[in-house]
Amino acid sequence: MSAVAPPMALRIEPGRIITWLLLFGGGLLMVTPLVFMFATSLKDSSEIYDLAFFPAHPTLGNYVTVLSDGRFLRWFANSFGIATAVTLSNVFFDSLVGYTLAKFQFRGRYLVFIAILSTLMIPTEMLVIPWYVMAKNFGWLDSYWGIMFPGMMTAFGTFLMKQFFETVPNDFLEAARIDGLNEFAIFWRIAMPLVTPALSALAIFTFLSNWTAFIWPLIVTTSKELYTLPVGLTSFAVESQVQWELIMTGAALATLPTLTVFLLLQRYIVRGVVLAGLKG
């Protein structure tokens, strides 16, 4: 008598189980430091050096202390304002340059594109000295503009937008020209809405990278009023009395915007990354 085969719904491939276990283990490993940071932010000074993962007596006193400190709110506002301004600049100028390279034929177009891409091969650490000399010569040291100007346009954003604009049908643009729209209106009203996934991905990546930027803001600023949040949190660690519970609380508060952006816009992030890979 032949054995009865199990139903299709009950068949689970061993390889799939191993994959799920690996993904779960990797996700748990990556989330653990984040959970520890939030748990430590709920500890008081007497528990900070305990080996317990979670606090025995959770308290929000650390959050009250940090949020009542005017410096933290100033650093938070600095980071948010700078990240927002740089993101808007990238979305507009990178799209404009990418559209020009994708849809206009002119002599030297490919040389310009190659020159822009070649800057991706230069490490950021090698650009710090030229940036600093430029900021000093123009009087931009210790200013908001000095923090922002290196990231107002990026080669990655230009490349990403060019790849997407090349997929926009030229027939749409020609129809708009026949209707009497000027070139900027065609770019703004016709082409831009057709590359929304790329715009979303570029905006998200730019905001997050500027929110967490540390090296350049640390070098170009000397006034504590101009510190961004990562630089300001570092200053906590070099004070005469290190209060790790407050440092963890500040780091937790600094992480909340990035977590919020990811949770709300994760589908745009994934879609933008997938489409960027296909276009590339």
Side-chain angles (χ1 to χ4, degrees):
M1 183 176 180
S2 60
V4 179
M8 293 296 295
L10 299 179
R11 294 180 183 177
I12 301 179
E13 300 178 0
R16 181 172 298 180
I17 296 177
I18 295 175
T19 302
W20 288 345
L21 292 176
L22 290 176
L23 290 175
F24 178 78
L28 184 63
L29 184 65
M30 295 182 66
V31 171
T32 298
L34 188 65
V35 176
F36 178 76
M37 178 184 66
F38 281 102
T40 305
S41 69
L42 299 176
K43 295 180 179 180
D44 57 24
S45 57
S46 62
E47 295 183 85
I48 195 65
Y49 292 107
D50 291 344
L51 297 180
F53 195 90
F54 294 101
H57 305 285
T59 176
L60 295 177
N62 296 328
Y63 288 89
V64 174
T65 302
V66 170
L67 292 176
S68 62
D69 190 336
R71 295 179 302 169
F72 181 86
L73 295 178
R74 179 64 180 266
W75 299 336
F76 192 97
N78 289 343
S79 290
F80 183 81
I82 291 171
T84 301
V86 174
T87 299
L88 294 176
S89 174
N90 271 259
V91 168
F92 178 75
F93 289 109
D94 291 354
S95 300
L96 190 61
V97 176
Y99 175 79
T100 302
L101 294 174
K103 293 303 180 182
F104 287 92
Q105 300 293 332
F106 55 90
R107 183 175 300 177
R109 179 167 67 106
Y110 291 105
L111 292 178
V112 173
F113 183 56
I114 292 174
I116 293 174
L117 285 184
S118 64
T119 61
L120 293 174
M121 297 184 292
I122 304 176
T124 303
E125 292 77 9
M126 295 183 62
L127 296 173
V128 167
I129 294 178
W131 288 346
Y132 187 87
V133 173
M134 181 179 177
K136 181 179 179 181
N137 292 336
F138 285 95
W140 295 341
L141 292 178
D142 202 28
S143 67
Y144 289 117
W145 177 252
I147 300 174
M148 292 188 296
F149 84 88
M152 300 298 284
M153 289 183 61
T154 62
F156 169 76
T158 301
F159 167 76
L160 179 67
M161 298 312 302
K162 176 182 179 297
Q163 297 302 101
F164 272 84
F165 278 124
E166 286 182 345
T167 65
V168 175
N170 291 326
D171 294 342
F172 292 171
L173 309 183
E174 292 296 334
R177 293 188 181 100
I178 294 175
D179 290 339
L181 289 180
N182 57 51
E183 291 299 331
F184 183 81
I186 294 173
F187 158 74
W188 186 257
R189 297 172 56 183
I190 305 298
M192 287 283 276
L194 296 177
V195 293
T196 302
L199 292 174
S200 302
L202 177 61
I204 293 168
F205 293 151
T206 303
F207 182 88
L208 295 180
S209 64
N210 282 273
W211 179 264
T212 58
F214 175 75
I215 295 179
W216 177 245
L218 175 65
I219 293 174
V220 78
T221 56
T222 55
S223 302
K224 289 189 176 182
E225 293 78 11
L226 298 178
Y227 281 177
T228 57
L229 197 52
V231 179
L233 291 177
T234 305
S235 68
F236 275 151
V238 297
E239 291 179 349
S240 56
Q241 182 179 1
V242 179
Q243 297 175 298
W244 291 109
E245 67 277 8
L246 297 183
I247 295 175
M248 287 295 184
T249 302
L253 290 172
T255 307
L256 288 178
T258 59
L259 290 178
T260 303
V261 169
F262 177 77
L263 292 176
L264 294 179
L265 305 176
Q266 58 179 324
R267 62 185 181 124
Y268 295 105
I269 297 176
V270 174
R271 185 180 180 188
V273 171
V274 171
L275 292 179
L278 293 177
K279 304 306 179 213

